Amino acid sequence: GPNQIMAGQPVRYVLSDIANSSNVMLQSFYWRDTLPAEVRLDSIVTGTYNFPGTYKITYRVNGGEPRTLADNLSTSKNYTLAASATALGLASNERVTEIMFVFGQAPAGFAQVEKPMLYCTAISNITTTSFVNVADVGGTYNGVWVQAVSRWVTTVYGKPTPLPRTGY
């Protein structure tokens, strides 16, 4: 993600190092991104993965139940999916809070090939000075969850209010 942004600017999150780097197959393998309240999702580029198979993408709106965005996607194809509030038919008070890629099984050595990306837009009335995007990846081995989490902090900057007066 970007280090700094201004209100209303595009925000792109590029996800990297998504993998099962262990030497055993993981069940219930997924990666997820929990979007900060300061951004709105526009589209998703899925990326590609080195293991032949299919997966689905789910999303949550304001902490609600997961909804399916796309299903039976090929791990070898890179898709661009519209995911704005308009494209998803969301109400004015709803926003996507989480995106999850659900793979099922991931053999040892499973990894992304082309990086997935989330395209968002910062809201126009940001009141915070920074916000955090959280991504996690994981799966189960013998019924035990194995997970990794990454956080990205973005600083919000803008013009001082009111602007200084010059020319006296």
Side-chain angles (χ1 to χ4, degrees):
N3 288 323
Q4 297 180 328
I5 60 117
M6 289 181 68
Q9 276 190 321
V11 176
R12 182 181 70 161
Y13 292 110
V14 179
L15 294 112
S16 60
D17 300 325
I18 298 169
N20 174 7
S21 54
S22 72
N23 59 1
V24 297
M25 179 175 288
L26 293 176
Q27 303 296 322
S28 304
F29 189 79
Y30 74 92
W31 72 259
R32 170 177 50 204
D33 192 283
T34 304
L35 295 167
E38 291 81 1
V39 300
R40 297 296 178 262
L41 184 63
D42 296 322
S43 64
I44 300 169
V45 176
T46 62
T48 59
Y49 304 87
N50 68 350
F51 178 71
T54 60
Y55 63 97
K56 75 176 182 177
I57 300 174
T58 63
Y59 66 98
R60 287 183 190 261
V61 175
N62 298 3
E65 292 300 312
R67 304 175 188 181
T68 300
L69 176 66
D71 204 349
N72 292 317
L73 300 173
S74 170
T75 55
S76 63
K77 293 183 182 174
N78 199 359
Y79 302 92
T80 300
L81 305 172
S84 67
T86 303
L88 298 175
L90 302 182
S92 61
N93 64 339
E94 293 180 313
R95 69 175 186 85
V96 174
T97 58
E98 175 185 291
I99 293 292
M100 181 186 273
F101 284 49
V102 182
F103 293 92
Q105 295 182 338
F110 176 91
Q112 69 181 59
V113 177
E114 294 176 72
K115 294 178 181 177
M117 293 178 264
L118 303 178
Y119 288 89
C120 305
T121 302
I123 60 174
S124 58
N125 57 347
I126 295 176
T127 58
T128 59
T129 56
S130 66
F131 55 85
V132 179
N133 185 48
V134 179
D136 64 305
V137 62
T140 61
Y141 177 68
N142 287 338
V144 177
W145 279 100
V146 180
Q147 296 173 295
V149 178
S150 179
R151 291 173 176 80
W152 185 263
V153 178
T154 299
T155 303
V156 178
Y157 69 95
K159 61 185 180 207
T161 306
L163 289 171
R165 298 193 69 140
T166 60
Y168 284 99

